[in-house]
Amino acid sequence: DKVLSECDYTIDQTYHIKAVSQAMMEVFCAFTSIDIYGRIKVISSTQIPFHARRIVARGLNIPKSKVRVVKPRIGGGFGAKQTAVVEIYPAFVTYKTGKPAKIVFTREECFIHGSPRHEMQVHVRLGADKNGRIRGIDLSTLSNTGAFGEHGPTTVDLSGTKSLSLYNMEAFRFKTEVVYTNVVSAGAYRGYGATQGIFAVESAVNELAHELNMDPVKIREMNMVKEGDVLTNYFGEVTKSCNLDKCVAKVKEMIGWDEKYPYVKTGPHTVRSVGMAMAMQGSGIGGVDVGSVQLKLNDDGFYTLMIGCSDMGTGCDTILAQMAADGLGCDMDNIIVRGVDTDQSPYDSGSYASSTTYVTGGAVVKACESTRKRICEEAAAIMGLKSGEVDFDGETISENDNPEHSMTLSDLITSLEAGNGRIIEVTESHTSPVSPPPFMVGAAEVEVDLVTGESRVVEYDACVDCGTPVNPNLARVQAEGGILQGIGMAMSENITYSDKGKLYENSFLQYKIPSRMDIGHINVEFESSFEDAGPFGAKSIGEVVINTPLPAVTDALSHAAGKRFYELPITPEQIAMARAESN
């Protein structure tokens, strides 16, 4: 309060972010049966196989040992399948009747019985001096968790931890309140509360730039967190890998900011305007998330990699196989990746919180190191040497001082299988005490018809610091998808209820997600840092990419309309009315 009272400029605004649906292409579904051992087998489209096993066992009041969950290939989740929405129902039928059962939601059921993003109202008081130096932020978030407390206290926390930490300042306050209401129970959605908080804080920073008549890029350059800084509200962590400043410079160049800011007239009643925003997220939940893998050496020298995390289209099966191939010095064709089966896979917390590359990837690195060590130990014993006297190049184990004294990997496994040693199979787990944040900057160019209010994103340019990308192509696809979802939240996706709590938008005819026809060009670049705590220098990318479009698009539309917008989505009607009022 003291710091804010001393500020030359104060932005005091309330921002409203409505609930939105994850709208994954594959609906909620699960299939159950009794296996030959009398146990309940659940095949489920889920991000959390081990939690699904726990929830089903608790719901039926039976031991977890009586439940087996298998995760096949699944068609998207975005957090919706982090909640066990459907598994208990067919499991109950199978438990009572002994017969197979299945449940497959319709799209309408996905909308009315799913777990959408939490609606949040975020009050921001931001104070700065006359030069644009941000001195303090007071953030207060009110979250609507719906009829149940699913993810209620955790999502609201991220609205402050991932937004306030983008800036260096003298003082901050963050307080939250979560309320029950008689609407659809909210759950996890990509960005997990950070999306709402970043929309509010970044919009306030853009408004500050407008009030000071300063370039929003300059405001951010003055105030952004840099490598080596203590993050303001992020568990006391110091950022050890941060190219946020380079991301800002890159995006400014990509979109041609200086030529386009704040807007350019393109016709008698059309303009093109631009807006910018920054974002950060995390890499798993520090000190909580656990990733585990099992690595087994098979005949002919190929490997089986058993993982406990769920690939839901994110590409983690591919990325983890790449890591294993690099760590073992072999081709990816030599790595067989097995999806999750709770009877066979090592325990993994699940695929959420942007954790698979960073957390489970750390387990893969450990497993490769242990496997190489075991290979050298077993081969050395057969060769009459000590383990430190041999080296393994991925195909051959040879004596350090006499390379001709060697044996192939396939010869080794043949000897081991013939009873001359121990079969090589290792299981490793990994957890991290820290959650190094990835950073992102995005800029939107929006074309607006000032008469009708019709608007369209013609270009979105983004630059991401996700550490060292393990697979740049998959990382780019992740970014493009997240940006598209964020644009949908900003411009078209909306959930409304009747007075009695009935959901109106319950199909894709009413709930408007953007298609390829609605968006112009999305361009994504990387400013790679190296995160010492991550596998191969990697951080996460899954969630941070959804966070910048909301404030960036909003700022662009505000320039075009001549009025600030504080509620999403921003519809053509709102833009047209804003123009009519200003005229």
Side-chain angles (χ1 to χ4, degrees):
D1 290 331
K2 182 177 185 298
V3 168
L4 288 177
S5 69
E6 296 170 351
C7 291
D8 298 314
Y9 289 87
T10 302
I11 303 297
D12 190 334
Q13 298 291 353
T14 299
Y15 301 87
H16 184 201
I17 306 93
K18 294 185 179 179
V20 288
S21 173
Q22 295 88 348
M24 64 282 169
M25 288 297 99
E26 183 196 34
V27 296
F28 296 104
C29 53
F31 313 89
T32 58
S33 61
I34 300 291
D35 68 12
I36 58 174
Y37 303 108
R39 302 161 69 233
I40 294 179
K41 180 182 179 181
V42 181
I43 299 176
S44 174
S45 180
T46 180
Q47 299 173 227
I48 48 164
F50 287 92
H51 290 309
R53 180 179 67 176
R54 170 180 56 82
I55 291 164
V56 168
R58 182 173 292 179
L60 299 179
N61 197 27
I62 60 177
K64 281 193 284 188
S65 60
K66 296 292 185 181
V67 180
R68 174 187 179 190
V69 175
V70 176
K71 190 268 329 167
R73 296 286 182 183
I74 65 176
F78 307 117
K81 293 169 185 175
Q82 190 183 331
T83 298
V85 171
V86 297
E87 289 84 353
I88 190 64
Y89 304 117
F92 180 72
V93 172
T94 296
Y95 175 68
K96 297 296 285 185
T97 67
K99 303 293 184 182
K102 70 176 180 179
I103 187 168
V104 180
F105 271 14
T106 64
R107 181 58 61 182
E108 179 182 4
E109 288 167 337
C110 284
F111 278 114
I112 65 177
H113 294 304
S115 52
R117 188 185 292 281
H118 289 72
E119 176 187 20
M120 290 188 188
Q121 185 170 284
V122 186
H123 179 215
V124 180
R125 285 199 303 153
L126 181 150
D129 64 22
K130 59 186 178 183
N131 298 315
R133 178 71 63 186
I134 297 173
R135 298 189 59 195
I137 300 178
D138 186 357
L139 193 70
S140 178
T141 303
L142 174 65
S143 177
N144 178 1
T145 193
F148 299 96
E150 183 81 19
H151 297 274
T154 44
T155 50
V156 76
D157 182 57
L158 268 65
S159 70
T161 56
K162 304 294 171 65
S163 58
L164 295 171
S165 302
L166 283 165
Y167 296 99
N168 289 312
M169 63 189 87
E170 297 172 43
F172 74 93
R173 177 191 289 126
F174 174 45
K175 55 185 179 181
T176 66
E177 190 173 6
V178 182
V179 295
Y180 289 111
T181 59
N182 290 317
V183 296
V184 177
S185 179
Y189 185 177
R190 189 182 205 167
Y192 202 79
T195 309
Q196 296 94 310
I198 287 171
F199 166 65
V201 169
E202 287 297 278
S203 294
V205 171
N206 285 330
E207 186 165 352
L208 174 67
H210 178 74
E211 290 291 320
L212 292 173
N213 197 28
M214 285 180 65
D215 190 325
V217 173
K218 184 177 180 181
I219 289 269
R220 288 178 169 86
E221 289 172 341
M222 288 173 55
N223 294 284
M224 73 175 76
V225 67
K226 294 182 173 63
E227 193 166 300
D229 289 343
V230 177
L231 297 169
T232 299
N233 186 32
Y234 195 66
F235 319 112
E237 285 192 24
V238 175
T239 176
K240 297 180 179 178
S241 57
C242 176
N243 276 340
L244 187 56
D245 52 346
K246 294 181 181 178
C247 290
V248 169
K250 185 70 173 180
V251 168
K252 181 181 178 181
E253 174 192 340
M254 289 169 70
I255 205 161
W257 182 266
D258 290 338
E259 295 78 40
K260 297 175 181 177
Y261 178 79
Y263 65 87
V264 176
K265 286 189 69 67
T266 55
H269 51 83
T270 59
V271 299
R272 286 194 177 185
S273 54
V274 292
M276 179 180 282
M278 306 190 307
M280 61 173 276
Q281 198 77 34
S283 300
I285 305 173
V288 174
D289 284 342
V290 175
S292 303
V293 301
Q294 183 185 78
L295 194 55
K296 182 172 69 172
L297 176 61
N298 303 299
D299 325 37
D300 287 341
F302 71 94
Y303 302 89
T304 301
L305 180 66
M306 291 290 297
I307 62 176
C309 60
S310 297
D311 191 330
M312 49 182 160
T314 53
C316 70
D317 286 3
T318 302
I319 290 167
L320 298 176
Q322 284 182 269
M323 291 183 182
D326 189 283
L328 295 167
C330 67
D331 293 333
M332 273 188 68
D333 290 343
N334 279 18
I335 308 291
I336 308 301
V337 180
R338 292 289 304 275
V340 188
D341 179 337
T342 56
D343 270 12
Q344 302 176 40
S345 303
Y347 177 80
D348 194 289
S349 304
S351 295
Y352 58 83
S354 305
S355 62
T356 51
T357 298
Y358 178 75
V359 179
T360 308
V364 171
V365 170
K366 288 181 179 179
C368 290
E369 293 170 350
S370 298
T371 299
R372 293 183 72 96
K373 181 180 178 182
R374 285 285 313 281
I375 288 170
C376 290
E377 289 174 350
E378 297 298 335
I382 295 171
M383 296 164 68
L385 300 169
K386 295 178 181 179
S387 61
E389 297 175 335
V390 299
D391 186 43
F392 173 54
D393 65 4
E395 294 181 3
T396 305
I397 307 97
S398 54
E399 184 178 356
N400 294 332
D401 298 329
N402 182 16
E404 294 184 2
H405 184 200
S406 63
M407 67 187 306
T408 65
L409 189 60
S410 57
D411 288 342
L412 171 62
I413 192 67
T414 299
S415 296
L416 296 179
E417 289 176 344
N420 293 329
R422 299 171 295 163
I423 298 299
I424 296 175
E425 183 176 301
V426 303
T427 301
E428 292 287 354
S429 295
H430 180 70
T431 188
S432 174
V434 296
S435 176
F439 298 93
M440 177 181 176
V441 177
E445 181 178 357
V446 181
E447 186 165 73
V448 182
D449 187 315
L450 300 178
V451 174
T452 66
E454 189 176 8
S455 59
R456 178 173 179 264
V457 175
V458 295
E459 183 174 341
Y460 198 95
D461 294 319
C463 188
V464 186
D465 167 17
C466 59
T468 302
V470 176
N471 185 318
N473 288 334
L474 285 175
R476 183 168 283 106
V477 171
Q478 281 269 54
E480 290 170 352
I483 288 167
L484 192 67
Q485 285 179 307
I487 291 171
M489 284 185 64
M491 302 183 72
S492 62
E493 296 182 42
N494 195 18
I495 285 181
T496 56
Y497 295 95
S498 70
D499 292 340
K500 295 184 177 180
K502 180 178 173 61
L503 180 66
Y504 286 128
E505 292 81 12
N506 56 21
S507 77
F508 283 142
L509 288 175
Q510 301 145 303
Y511 187 83
K512 300 295 185 181
I513 61 173
S515 73
R516 185 65 190 87
M517 299 297 291
D518 300 316
I519 304 296
H521 299 287
I522 297 177
N523 307 305
V524 178
E525 298 293 339
F526 299 97
E527 281 290 349
S528 301
S529 59
F530 188 89
E531 176 52 53
D532 287 335
F536 301 95
K539 298 186 286 189
S540 78
I541 194 171
E543 293 181 280
V544 69
V545 291
I546 199 173
N547 294 332
T548 61
L550 283 71
V553 169
T554 298
D555 196 41
L557 292 176
S558 297
H559 294 314
K563 176 186 176 181
R564 289 276 143 191
F565 295 104
Y566 303 101
E567 182 177 83
L568 299 178
I570 303 168
T571 63
E573 291 85 351
Q574 289 175 283
I575 296 171
M577 290 176 67
R579 291 295 302 174
E581 290 171 5
S582 64
N583 292 334

